[in-house]
Amino acid sequence: MRSSIAAGRLRLLPPNRTRLRCTPLLCLSPTARGTLGQASLAPSCRSANRRLYSSSSASPDAAGHLSTRSTVVQLLSNIGSKREVQQYLSHFSSVSSQQFAVIKVGGAIITEHMQQLSSALAFLNHVGLYPVVVHGAGPQLNRMLKAAGVEPQFEGGIRITDGKTLALARSLFLEENLKLVEELENLGVRARPITSGVFTADYLDREKYDLVGKINKVDKAPIEASIRAGCLPILTSMAETVDGQVLNVNADVSAGELARALQPLKIVYLSEKGGLFNADTNEKISAINLDEEYEHLMTQWWVRHGTRLKIKEIKELLTDLPRTSSVAIIHPADLQKELFTDTGAGTLIRRGSKLHVKTSISEFENLDLLKEVLVRDREGLDAKAVVDRYVQGLETREFKAYLDEPMEALGIVLPSDSSSSIAHLATFTITKSGWLTNVADNVFASIQKDFPKLVWTVKEDDENLTWFFDKSEGSLSRQGEVLFWYGIDSADEVKELMTEFGKHGREILGDGNLESRLAKAAKAASMAGKEFQRPEQQLQQQRAYSTSSLSSRSFKSSRSRTSLPAVVPAQSRRSYATSTTNPNPPYGSQNSSNTQPARVALIGARGYTGQALISLLNNHPLMDLRHVSSRELAGKRLSGYEKREITYENLTADDVRRMEERDEIDCWVMALPNGVCKPFVDAVATAQGRKKSIIVDLSADYRFDESWTYGLPELVARSDIAKAKRLANPGCYATAAQLAIAPLLPHLGGQPTIFGVSGYSGAGTKPSAKNDVDNLTNNIIPYSLTDHIHEKEVSRQLGVSVAFIPHVAVWFQGIHHTISIPLSHEMTSRDVRALYQDRYAGEKLVKVSGEPPSVKAISGKHGVEIGGFAVHSSGKRVVVCATIDNLLKGAATQCLRKSPLSLDF
């Protein structure tokens, strides 16, 4: 989440806009017919309805429809900005009704999500939109066939349809169609079942598939008649031959042919998954620009089987449609968000346009067109002359221009130079079509790939301001202008940028900024006309300026507050951004001041953690392992480290003292069992000469020592860690438990209970019942059921008492916590998850997800995964799950994350 300061207030904004969603069933009366029922409207909406009816000569139905539309528009504004909703409504209303959208509904959606589907369709209808719905019933047909003793047969993904299968399918399709129509009618939406007469087909391959059709004609007349009558057309995917033989057609195929005939702006495939997922990252793909990404996408290993076929078919479909058309794969619950917001909800697939990058004016074939693009929608009579001079200036300076072929979008970036370490976006001009077809996203994504740090300015009244907030990591408002940035991790750099912008506004970006030059020209033209104003007009302007100055002073005083609230009110989540909701954000590379690799000595390298640490040190560019000590392995060559040849030593405390006095080591890492490392720590402390080396202790010996810094970067102030010379590494169990409980500390209603299970590597290398695989097979062993060292550690660090019950299981590495947390007041799962997402915003090693994480997924990885967030029916107890690799984030990775902070890397 991002925060903002504007007009003297601190506000907060999530990195991906979090919008409040209205639940359609709360807005739509089951008994309404034609318009929303009065019982379904808030009192203010009902009174508005009465006022409209009494003051208008229009019919009651017309008045009700206008009130209904405005009410639903207002409700839609809860999932996006009013600008977005109105913009997309205008866009969708600009075409004939049947060209708005074709929505394909799978059989599973009808069975499992009927209520969400019908409510979403009702919403669209009540703002005057008429989606054309075509549905299938594949899962239901499979069940019906099996119940009838018929095994479904498929060839190449196509259902082989004999006479018996077709008879069952036709009966089933009519039944499912009627269910959806009746559900819509119950919500006050007129719907018309269209079960024949639209699709004409030939046999696809009668010998191979039997009664399966290939559509060769689409008759739009039944659909148009339905819409003229004010009814949503609900189609089955059945087709007929010219002789009247009914043929089975896959619903996806029917929807595609329907789209080719209607040429809609949107084709929507409703899916239980809610989109396409990248199997490498397990993340939903937000958008696919086929012209740019198709070839690369088809080479990915996870694009196979049904996913590969779907992407290929969608590409073929969009090739036959205007470039303004797009395909969305979404869950029915997210239909409104997908259609009416810039960010969408599922996977948006569009043809897009090939992007071009130009680095010199000579690469532009048509300079006049470039100038026209730069001038469009610009203020001021002198805009054309300003652009002429600006283009002339680009001939002698370095820049990168990003544009699509028709120049619907154009961005010009001036790279960093000797005067500034940050590149800036000199101009970014997008047509309305460019915004609606997401070309703007495509261009900006290309800019982000090339420029890891960027600043730019936008006028405060820009109608697309919320889009820029989404693209930024921070922003600052000043006298009608907003400064945006991303990639600036240094607090000093951000402070300097804010100070300069506060003093000089967008002029800090220099003459290379086209917006600044245009604004100057407009201001000059405005000042030139002041002599014609009456005195009272000038006084009014002076007062307005004075008010702005006062606002600016209020803003400056608000910046003196440096602390961030632990809990972010939901209503403050949309405004200007200055930082993150994380009160202890990660440091970036800009904070580093040391370019020399640190000399590291590892004391105690025989254990699993020591081995994991050696591997990490080998891959760290600024860590140079010089000495490794292990009594058992002394004299043997260290394997797994390639930067230099190292032989195991058996270092004593005296050896450590002498090495410290000779200034041979920058960082000592103690990877010893509990209670063993004190002599080595004392040796470093008592060494003569300069005391500059740091010590990181991986044992529990100093976790309770106030003179040592507890090294959990996500929860302990990173500035404290950066200044520390003695760092106590948190325990593996304790790290995951603290991260999984900390965001809920202000909401605790009792003692959290932690049920922890670790792989047997956590029991160490010394043979015992807890690391005996034979003993652990088909078994789980509890131990230290009370007063475990990690129970005390977590309780001390969080400041609240916790109960911890550890267990060991047969897998090698990885820990799973299931934590039951009493709450002091009622909360929902969404509330809890939002707290965690806000608290750990920007943390690369903390992943927050809705589903409970698995040990298998975390093993061998460097982070903590937190999920589950199951809330008891009372609303006053939540169960949170967390996983961690005990050898990495639980030990070695944790060590390596703290050391660079203290070593100024």
Side-chain angles (χ1 to χ4, degrees), residues 24-26 28-36 105 109-123 125-126 133 135 174-193 232 234 332:
L25 286 177
L26 297 177
L28 302 173
S29 167
T31 59
R33 285 293 186 273
T35 63
L36 291 174
V105 179
I109 298 296
I110 293 178
T111 302
E112 303 296 333
H113 304 281
M114 174 66 87
Q115 197 173 61
Q116 290 173 316
L117 169 64
S118 56
S119 298
L121 294 175
F123 240 77
N125 183 244
H126 284 297
V133 179
H135 69 83
L174 294 175
E175 181 181 334
E176 296 300 294
N177 186 278
L178 188 58
K179 282 182 185 177
L180 179 54
V181 169
E182 288 182 342
E183 188 71 22
L184 288 168
E185 292 280 353
N186 288 337
L187 291 176
V189 177
R190 297 181 63 196
R192 177 174 293 183
L232 290 187
I234 311 297

Side-chain angles (χ1 to χ4, degrees), residues 249-508:
V249 179
N250 178 274
D252 282 352
V253 174
S254 297
E257 293 303 322
L258 194 58
R260 287 183 172 90
L262 297 177
Q263 303 275 296
L265 294 173
K266 282 276 188 180
I267 302 98
V268 178
Y269 292 90
L270 296 182
S271 159
E272 285 189 296
K273 290 183 179 180
L276 298 180
F277 286 77
N278 183 329
D280 281 328
T281 62
N282 202 31
E283 295 178 345
K284 186 187 295 181
I285 302 171
S286 175
I288 297 173
N289 295 296
L290 293 172
D291 282 2
E292 285 280 317
E293 303 171 53
Y294 179 75
E295 291 182 5
H296 171 73
L297 195 63
M298 299 304 274
T299 65
Q300 303 302 296
W301 68 267
W302 49 269
V303 180
R304 54 186 178 180
H305 308 311
T307 300
R308 188 178 189 86
L309 180 62
K310 186 174 286 291
I311 293 174
K312 184 178 179 181
E313 289 178 344
I314 289 173
K315 182 178 186 298
E316 292 173 354
L317 170 61
L318 289 176
T319 301
D320 296 335
L321 299 177
R323 280 196 177 270
T324 52
S325 297
S326 61
V327 171
I329 303 173
I330 56 172
H331 191 279
D334 296 329
L335 185 58
Q336 296 101 315
K337 186 174 183 182
E338 174 61 38
L339 293 176
F340 295 104
T341 68
D342 294 333
T343 54
T347 299
L348 178 69
I349 304 176
R350 60 207 172 205
R351 288 174 63 188
S353 294
K354 287 232 179 226
L355 295 185
H356 301 279
V357 179
K358 300 182 185 296
T359 57
S360 71
I361 289 297
S362 61
E363 294 177 29
F364 288 90
E365 296 178 0
N366 189 336
L367 272 186
D368 290 335
L369 176 60
L370 171 63
K371 292 176 181 179
E372 286 178 16
V373 169
L374 290 173
V375 169
R376 67 185 175 204
D377 300 326
R378 307 297 188 177
E379 59 180 297
L381 299 175
D382 199 31
K384 188 172 181 181
V386 171
V387 166
D388 284 340
R389 291 192 294 270
Y390 183 78
V391 171
Q392 186 177 1
L394 289 178
E395 294 176 356
T396 58
R397 70 178 305 162
E398 185 181 359
F399 70 90
K400 269 194 172 183
Y402 299 79
L403 58 148
D404 62 327
E405 289 181 2
M407 280 208 216
E408 299 282 355
L410 170 65
I412 297 178
V413 179
L414 302 182
S416 57
D417 53 28
S418 58
S419 62
S420 173
S421 62
I422 309 172
H424 87 262
L425 184 59
T427 188
F428 193 69
T429 173
I430 314 289
T431 65
K432 181 179 179 181
S433 174
W435 288 112
L436 291 172
T437 56
N438 300 97
V439 178
D441 293 276
N442 208 5
V443 169
F444 202 87
S446 295
I447 292 173
Q448 286 177 305
K449 288 178 184 177
D450 291 345
F451 295 94
K453 292 199 301 183
L454 192 73
V455 298
W456 69 96
T457 59
V458 177
K459 292 184 66 176
E460 199 172 45
D461 59 357
D462 191 298
E463 66 174 9
N464 297 298
L465 198 65
T466 53
W467 185 89
F468 289 106
F469 284 132
D470 280 342
K471 302 302 180 185
S472 70
E473 292 175 356
S475 68
L476 180 64
S477 174
R478 175 192 180 273
Q479 297 182 4
E481 299 170 348
V482 184
L483 174 73
F484 290 101
W485 67 85
Y486 68 72
I488 305 176
D489 296 327
S490 166
D492 290 338
E493 201 167 9
V494 170
K495 182 178 179 181
E496 181 182 357
L497 185 65
M498 293 171 66
T499 301
E500 290 300 308
F501 183 70
K503 291 178 181 178
H504 306 294
R506 69 169 66 183
E507 291 183 11
I508 65 170

Side-chain angles (χ1 to χ4, degrees), residues 808-873:
V808 63
V810 72
W811 63 79
F812 178 66
Q813 67 189 97
I815 287 173
H816 190 286
H817 280 323
T818 303
I819 308 175
S820 179
I821 305 175
L823 301 172
S824 60
H825 57 92
E826 292 186 13
M827 298 182 74
T828 66
S829 177
R830 182 177 294 180
D831 293 335
V832 175
R833 182 178 177 183
L835 284 176
Y836 283 74
Q837 289 172 326
D838 294 351
R839 178 58 184 80
Y840 297 125
E843 296 288 359
K844 294 182 179 179
L845 296 188
V846 180
K847 179 180 178 181
V848 178
S849 61
E851 297 298 318
S854 69
V855 171
K856 186 176 182 180
I858 200 68
S859 180
K861 296 181 180 176
H862 298 284
V864 175
E865 292 191 15
I866 305 172
F869 308 116
V871 174
H872 185 262
S873 56

